Amino acid sequence: MSKARKVDPRIIRTRHLLRDALVFLIDERGYESITVHDITDRATINRATFYLHYRDKQDLLISSTDDILEELITNLEMTGIAEVSFADLEEPPSSFVGIFEQIAKHADFYRVMLSKQHMPYFVMRVQEVLAGFVQEGLSSVLAKDNELSVPREMVIRYTASAFLGVMIWWLENDMTYSPKYMASNLLRIATKGPYTNNPF
């Protein structure tokens, strides 16, 4: 099996500069009002270099989104829900903690795209990624639909939306809680509910 070629660090640096410039300008002005010139000016990169990497600002947006979500997906795939010990939620899997660490690493991107500007393409992609994760987890612990009180797809969409809402809330509150705290308590809510003792 051939190994993937290592990307030149200069290319990575250029793409990161352009992505950071895009996020800054979306936050400042909104996506529709910015131009490639605005992005290259902010990134201190000439337009010829920009066009070596991207066709236009939409291509930059989609590519940046894909890069960020590829990291998120990698963490989710490493998180085997069947490996979670629901009796000891104080020690969530390190890979699940890694999801929140990845969000914190790219906090400006997530905050602008999910919360401040609510970019539809990114929000939709994140929801789909989370729905896939929830679906896999649900299938591993509950194989039969007749064991559910509501349709499986409703459970998947409800849980994925709740996960996304919690992530946005965390970002909007300056990530006050640690990634481990978030992972532990999100798993607790998803598996045991929010109550110390079930009142129903």
Side-chain angles (χ1 to χ4, degrees), residues 169-189:
W169 168 81
W170 186 54
L171 286 163
E172 289 177 341
N173 287 274
D174 298 321
M175 299 174 291
T176 302
Y177 299 107
S178 71
K180 181 178 179 181
Y181 179 93
M182 293 301 298
S184 175
N185 284 282
L186 191 55
L187 283 175
R188 177 177 286 106
I189 293 171

Side-chain angles (χ1 to χ4, degrees), residues 107-141:
D108 289 341
F109 190 98
Y110 277 102
R111 190 180 288 114
V112 170
M113 298 294 182
L114 288 178
S115 177
K116 298 182 75 174
Q117 295 295 332
H118 195 79
M119 298 292 289
Y121 176 76
F122 187 66
V123 174
M124 179 189 70
R125 289 290 312 281
V126 173
Q127 286 180 324
E128 290 303 317
V129 169
L130 291 173
F133 171 66
V134 173
Q135 181 175 16
E136 183 180 347
L138 187 63
S139 297
S140 71
V141 298

Side-chain angles (χ1 to χ4, degrees), residues 79-86 96 133 136-138 140-141 187 191:
T79 306
I81 196 70
E83 299 172 5
V84 177
S85 172
F86 296 127
F96 194 67
F133 171 66
E136 183 180 347
L138 187 63
S140 71
V141 298
L187 283 175
T191 57

Side-chain angles (χ1 to χ4, degrees), residues 19-197:
R19 183 179 71 196
D20 291 347
L22 176 70
V23 171
F24 177 88
L25 291 168
I26 290 174
D27 187 26
E28 183 180 64
R29 306 182 198 175
Y31 175 74
E32 295 301 329
S33 68
I34 63 176
T35 65
V36 169
H37 175 75
D38 294 328
I39 296 167
T40 56
D41 190 50
R42 173 69 191 179
T44 64
I45 290 171
N46 63 56
R47 293 183 67 181
T49 300
F50 177 94
Y51 289 116
L52 287 174
H53 298 275
Y54 307 105
R55 293 187 303 275
D56 49 32
K57 69 174 186 177
Q58 183 177 14
D59 189 30
L60 170 59
L61 174 65
I62 292 172
S63 179
S64 298
T65 294
D66 290 346
D67 288 344
I68 293 291
L69 290 181
E70 187 176 337
E71 282 189 32
L72 181 64
I73 290 168
T74 298
N75 276 306
L76 289 169
E77 288 176 344
M78 291 171 59
T79 306
I81 196 70
E83 299 172 5
V84 177
S85 172
F86 296 127
D88 184 19
L89 293 176
E90 296 304 321
E91 291 298 329
S94 59
S95 50
F96 194 67
V97 177
I99 295 168
F100 287 92
E101 291 174 340
Q102 192 262 357
I103 293 171
K105 177 183 174 183
H106 302 293
D108 289 341
F109 190 98
Y110 277 102
R111 190 180 288 114
V112 170
M113 298 294 182
L114 288 178
S115 177
K116 298 182 75 174
Q117 295 295 332
H118 195 79
M119 298 292 289
Y121 176 76
F122 187 66
V123 174
M124 179 189 70
R125 289 290 312 281
V126 173
Q127 286 180 324
E128 290 303 317
V129 169
L130 291 173
F133 171 66
V134 173
Q135 181 175 16
E136 183 180 347
L138 187 63
S139 297
S140 71
V141 298
L142 194 65
K144 298 178 181 178
D145 282 352
N146 62 13
E147 296 176 328
L148 293 169
S149 61
V150 297
R152 179 179 294 262
E153 186 64 21
M154 186 181 293
V155 176
I156 291 168
R157 293 295 166 174
Y158 174 86
T159 307
S161 295
F163 275 34
L164 179 59
V166 169
M167 290 173 179
I168 292 172
W169 168 81
W170 186 54
L171 286 163
E172 289 177 341
N173 287 274
D174 298 321
M175 299 174 291
T176 302
Y177 299 107
S178 71
K180 181 178 179 181
Y181 179 93
M182 293 301 298
S184 175
N185 284 282
L186 191 55
L187 283 175
R188 177 177 286 106
I189 293 171
T191 57
K192 296 180 179 295
Y195 302 103
T196 304
N197 296 304

